[in-house]
Amino acid sequence: MDLKVLVSSLNDFASLSLAESWDNVGLLVEPSPPHTVHTLFLTIDLTEQVMEEALQKKVDLILSYHPPIFRPLKHITWKTWKERLVIRALENRVGIYSPHTAYDASPQGVNSWLAKGLGVCTSRPIHPSKAPTYPTVGTHRVEFSVNSTEDLDKVISAVKEIADVSVTSFSTRTDDEEQTRISLNCSQEALMQVVAFLSQSRQFYQKTEILSLEKPLLLHAGMGRLCTLDESVSLATMIERIKRHLKLPHVRLALGVGRTLESPVKVVALCAGSGSKVLQGTEADLYLAGEMSHHDVLDAASQGITVILCEHSNTERGFLSDLRDMLRAHLENKIDIILSEADRDPLCVV
């Protein structure tokens, strides 16, 4: 499959518009075209050990969940390990693609996979994503009233000369007086021109309302998941479920104040990877994350919320098997998709 076609299909699978604004997602390293992909290689972290494995397996594109290029690189030398990754990828004609928080937010992404380990439950995003586009033209709505047909014609004629403005009008009655209400949808750039025109007339300007339009929220996409179990279980049972789902012999546990291993768990707030900002302030019996700051764990525990931490990438890596199967179906088995065997969390219990 041609690299550009594959990247387009990957973007269709989970839109990069779901990614956080601070993130660095998409195609990060591109060999000179044309570039045909026979084998796609999945990993959570692209370390030098994982790169060596990928080259030995002669892959054509690496999907690295975490972006190996995050902060801008000022030079590409052999000095640092991330620079060496770029050099080796280009020398061996291997592309690098990273979805990161787009897959965090996706309805079929890592957080939905993590929720599967809890048992039968209903879930929703803790912080829903916004749609990529506005429901109407423009980012702002400007509304004001005019009294006479002459004024109406003058206003409509003037604003139609401004780019990125759509105009509608309707009749209203205020204090037994017939008026025409003008509603303009416009872009941020056009808004300044609209305001400049209206400010020339005190009659219009003093009665003008300016509304900032919001992109609609998406019901099933967003950061974190708030999961409500069909039937509550003891904390001890939930711990075993999580360990089994993540294939971990140990997890880290902070009991909420007044809680024991026999305390019931009905509502779980979870966030794969780093959970502090996403989970903060969420009401639940249990927080599940890869990592949280020391003080955020203390805050949660003080409120009676138990915290389970599993290390950052341990809450993400198991998702790759599901991702492989979903991508095989999405790409109609046109390419080989394999998982890294060298990829692992850098921390272990000794």
Side-chain angles (χ1 to χ4, degrees), residues 96-167:
I96 301 175
Y97 179 94
S98 178
H100 201 203
T101 52
Y103 279 12
D104 286 351
S106 171
Q108 70 269 32
V110 65
N111 282 304
S112 295
W113 168 81
L114 187 56
K116 291 181 181 179
L118 304 179
V120 181
C121 64
T122 57
S123 67
R124 63 173 179 81
I126 296 174
H127 301 286
S129 297
K130 291 184 178 181
T133 58
Y134 290 90
T136 185
V137 176
T139 59
H140 291 78
R141 178 170 296 160
V142 181
E143 295 189 350
F144 56 94
S145 298
V146 296
N147 296 324
S148 68
T149 302
E150 182 179 344
D151 287 338
L152 176 62
D153 293 340
K154 175 184 176 182
V155 169
I156 291 181
S157 176
V159 296
K160 281 187 174 180
E161 295 296 319
I162 303 174
D164 300 325
V165 174
S166 63
V167 186

Side-chain angles (χ1 to χ4, degrees), residues 126 154 213 252 294:
I126 296 174
K154 175 184 176 182
L213 302 180
R252 292 192 287 164
H294 173 80

Side-chain angles (χ1 to χ4, degrees), residues 278-300:
V278 173
L279 300 179
Q280 192 172 46
T282 304
E283 294 185 8
D285 302 311
L286 172 67
Y287 283 177
L288 170 62
E291 60 180 322
M292 290 174 58
S293 76
H294 173 80
H295 296 286
D296 286 332
V297 172
L298 290 179
D299 285 344

